[in-house]
Amino acid sequence: MQENFSLKPYNTFGVDAKAQYFAEVNSIEELKEALTFAKAQSLHLLFLGGGSNILLTQDFDGLAIKLNLKGISEENLNDHETLVTAKAGENWHEFVLSCLQKNYGGLENLSLIPGNVGTSPMQNIGAYGTEIKDIFVSCVVLDLEDLELKTFDLEQCRFGYRDSIFKQEGKGKYVILEVTFKLTSQNHHIKTEYGAIKSELEHMGIANPTIQDVSKAVINIRQSKLPDPKEIGNAGSFFKNPTIPLAQFEDLKQKFENIQGYPNGDMVKVPAGWLIEQCGWKGRQIGNVASHKLQSLVIINATGEATGKEIFDFSTEIINSVKEKFGIELEREVNII
């Protein structure tokens, strides 16, 4: 247990906020010990995975716990399906690569997403036509009230777009310890129709892609337009893509004929990056903070010296300008602390 501890190395924005107390736990027993200490001291809790989906706007008055639970196990269901369980502290991308090395399919479109396995169900991470819910089986959690282990299945997690029970009524009640996925060991379902995967595969000279080829294409695309958090502070996509009524989209199309949208029944999902770019934010910098020059959906700690409040205020200006121009209010995807 450490006091007045800098969390700068533990968040991908590289914000230098401090925690009143900090502990790194490597087992469920150590986690329970830390939680017992926090309860005795009446401390607020902050759980840290890969630190890729948080923005620390101030020092944290409580106990920050870094979950370092590691381990991956498998169970063959049949000739073509395997259950793979990963502990919360496993790096997400390394986990995906380990599955691909064994020719397990289902995670390839989610390659190179930052963060750890334990946080993946919280916001139902997704990319290029795949979401966690598509291959999710269950997760084991620790109930913070009674320190008992519980299992949540797919239905209980109530996944939505970048949403789950863990962001709604279950927020602050549980900590995810491990996640189980159902992956294919043969007869893989290749998804190449979303985003630029198909054109990237053509560029790679691949006509009949494997799951490994799809992963490589996704990695190439992400690396070409998304900054590496190890090189420049960011949390990936900062905003959710808004979903608006079809009627509102049709009205906007009368005024902005190039507006992009993906219809889904009587609703339309509009790319937040396009909206932000139309408002002139792409590559724009204010003080220590900027919108990335290649992907306006990503806010960066341009100088490495930005505070969380500066980044938050920058995001607020983007939200206000998009609402003023399009009448659409963007929602932050990043968890604000």
Side-chain angles (χ1 to χ4, degrees):
M1 196 70 64
Q2 301 180 71
E3 294 185 54
N4 198 31
F5 189 85
S6 174
L7 298 177
K8 187 169 185 176
Y10 295 91
N11 71 97
T12 57
F13 261 121
V15 169
D16 191 14
K18 291 181 171 59
Q20 182 184 0
Y21 293 98
F22 174 85
E24 187 164 343
V25 299
N26 300 288
S27 67
I28 295 175
E29 290 71 28
E30 289 183 0
L31 174 58
K32 288 183 177 180
E33 190 180 332
L35 292 172
T36 300
F37 170 83
K39 195 166 189 177
Q41 302 287 329
S42 299
L43 298 173
H44 296 295
L45 294 170
L46 172 63
F47 293 99
L48 297 169
S52 61
N53 195 45
I54 60 170
L55 175 61
L56 299 164
T57 59
Q58 57 191 331
D59 289 341
F60 182 69
D61 184 22
L63 171 61
I65 299 177
K66 175 73 167 73
L67 291 170
N68 199 30
L69 310 177
K70 296 294 180 70
I72 299 173
S73 59
E74 304 169 22
E75 178 190 342
N76 289 330
L77 285 179
N78 47 52
D79 290 342
H80 58 277
E81 291 177 315
T82 300
L83 294 181
V84 182
T85 300
K87 301 290 187 185
E90 291 288 342
N91 175 272
W92 175 261
H93 181 57
E94 290 175 9
F95 169 62
V96 172
L97 293 182
S98 73
C99 290
L100 288 168
Q101 284 177 346
K102 296 180 178 180
N103 200 40
Y104 296 155
L107 297 171
E108 56 277 1
N109 292 52
L110 303 177
S111 297
L112 210 62
I113 291 179
N116 288 357
V117 170
T119 51
S120 63
M122 290 184 66
Q123 60 166 9
N124 184 26
I125 63 170
Y128 300 103
T130 298
E131 291 181 314
I132 280 294
K133 67 177 179 61
D134 301 330
I135 32 84
F136 178 92
V137 174
S138 63
C139 63
V140 175
V141 306
L142 184 69
D143 189 314
L144 297 177
E145 183 62 35
D146 57 19
L147 299 188
E148 293 292 323
L149 298 182
K150 296 177 180 175
T151 300
F152 280 71
D153 62 19
L154 177 63
E155 185 177 349
Q156 289 170 312
C157 286
R158 299 219 306 277
F159 290 123
Y161 172 59
R162 301 297 175 270
D163 199 15
S164 73
I165 189 173
F166 304 110
K167 290 184 72 174
Q168 300 300 330
E169 66 266 36
K171 187 174 183 179
K173 294 182 180 179
Y174 310 100
V175 56
I176 298 170
L177 304 179
E178 65 180 40
V179 189
T180 299
F181 305 96
K182 185 194 288 185
L183 305 179
T184 53
S185 47
Q186 57 182 347
N187 303 327
H188 305 303
H189 178 49
I190 306 291
K191 292 184 181 179
T192 62
E193 60 281 352
Y194 199 94
I197 294 180
K198 197 170 286 186
S199 59
E200 178 60 29
L201 287 168
E202 290 174 2
H203 178 72
M204 293 163 63
I206 296 171
N208 298 298
T210 63
I211 53 175
Q212 291 81 7
D213 293 330
V214 172
S215 172
K216 181 59 179 171
V218 169
I219 290 170
N220 289 347
I221 295 166
R222 293 183 74 93
Q223 288 181 331
S224 71
K225 65 179 184 178
L226 297 174
D228 186 345
K230 294 175 183 174
E231 297 175 5
I232 189 160
N234 74 92
S237 298
F238 197 92
F239 302 99
K240 295 180 181 181
N241 290 318
T243 300
I244 63 174
L246 178 60
Q248 182 184 358
F249 180 78
E250 294 296 343
D251 287 343
L252 285 169
K253 201 165 180 62
Q254 296 294 318
K255 190 175 181 182
F256 308 98
E257 59 183 41
N258 293 326
I259 190 171
Q260 300 173 11
Y262 302 94
N264 182 14
D266 58 354
M267 303 294 286
V268 179
K269 184 183 289 185
V270 182
W274 186 88
L275 296 170
I276 294 167
E277 189 173 337
Q278 299 308 303
C279 293
W281 285 97
K282 192 173 185 178
R284 183 178 173 189
Q285 182 169 340
I286 299 176
N288 295 308
V289 189
S291 177
H292 192 250
K293 62 183 179 181
L294 298 178
Q295 174 53 273
S296 56
L297 196 56
V298 178
I299 295 177
I300 60 173
N301 183 350
T303 64
E305 301 297 324
T307 65
K309 186 177 184 306
E310 286 180 288
I311 295 169
F312 182 84
D313 290 346
F314 186 91
S315 70
T316 299
E317 290 202 43
I318 291 177
I319 290 171
N320 290 342
S321 63
V322 169
K323 186 173 184 180
E324 183 178 344
K325 188 178 181 78
F326 295 101
I328 297 174
E329 185 155 3
L330 295 181
E331 185 180 345
R332 297 175 180 89
E333 188 173 316
V334 174
N335 193 22
I336 309 299
I337 305 297

